Amino acid sequence: MPNLLTAIVDRVDVEYGQFVLQEIPMTRNALEVPVPAGDWLAAGGDGGLLLHSAGTDHRPSVRVELWDAEPHAAAGGWDRVVELRCDLGERVRLQSVTATQSPRVLPITRPGPHHARVHAGGRAETAALDEGTFAEGVEGWLVQLWPA
């Protein structure tokens, strides 16, 4: 039975349609993770996750969970769900692409390779936002992490 170890709930500034879940310290930068071709939601690699929003200049609600094993799929009306891998250090936080950092930090109990299941909802409503609206909580995200 998987156990939820810890979680953070936060908002993050989306800029240029993107934001990151970034390890601390930033010796490996999640912004350097290769971007998939086509319509992508998330990319994972050394240092964290690069996340692609449906809009720009807004502040989605994001929950990041750390589990000790693969959790059950999250219920809810998610628009998209993807699974990928990343490699994380001892702590991570949400961050904008221009480095506005969240004060909320998620400790990673077993640094190294992790699975990530990324959920996103409210994407159609977010895509309809005008640039520069800085709307809050229209788009919602859930990121579930567990050791690989």
Side-chain angles (χ1 to χ4, degrees):
M1 182 72 155
N3 295 301
L4 178 63
L5 301 175
T6 188
I8 57 172
V9 177
D10 207 349
R11 294 197 190 275
V12 63
D13 292 335
V14 171
E15 301 164 333
Y16 307 102
Q18 300 174 6
F19 64 99
V20 296
L21 179 68
Q22 174 66 51
E23 74 178 8
I24 307 167
M26 292 178 53
T27 54
R28 302 180 297 175
N29 192 336
L31 286 171
E32 296 174 359
V33 170
V35 175
D39 181 25
W40 62 283
L41 181 68
D46 292 345
L49 301 171
L50 178 60
L51 303 151
H52 189 245
S53 173
T56 190
D57 300 329
H58 71 103
R59 300 190 79 221
S61 175
V62 184
R63 178 177 171 92
V64 183
E65 300 175 343
L66 180 65
W67 293 80
D68 64 354
E70 181 177 0
H72 300 291
W78 301 105
D79 299 332
R80 295 186 62 187
V81 179
V82 298
E83 290 194 24
L84 41 98
R85 292 178 66 121
C86 58
D87 193 85
L88 303 172
E90 294 178 354
R91 300 177 301 146
V92 297
R93 69 175 156 221
L94 294 169
Q95 183 173 302
S96 75
V97 298
T98 59
T100 302
Q101 302 166 346
S102 170
R104 292 179 181 82
V105 173
L106 183 82
I108 303 298
T109 54
R110 290 177 32 200
H114 278 73
H115 296 279
R117 185 179 299 131
V118 178
H119 308 69
R123 293 180 64 78
E125 297 86 349
T126 302
L129 293 173
D130 290 330
E131 285 190 31
T133 62
F134 302 99
E136 294 205 13
V138 177
E139 191 173 54
W141 293 76
L142 168 63
V143 178
Q144 296 173 311
L145 302 168
W146 66 95

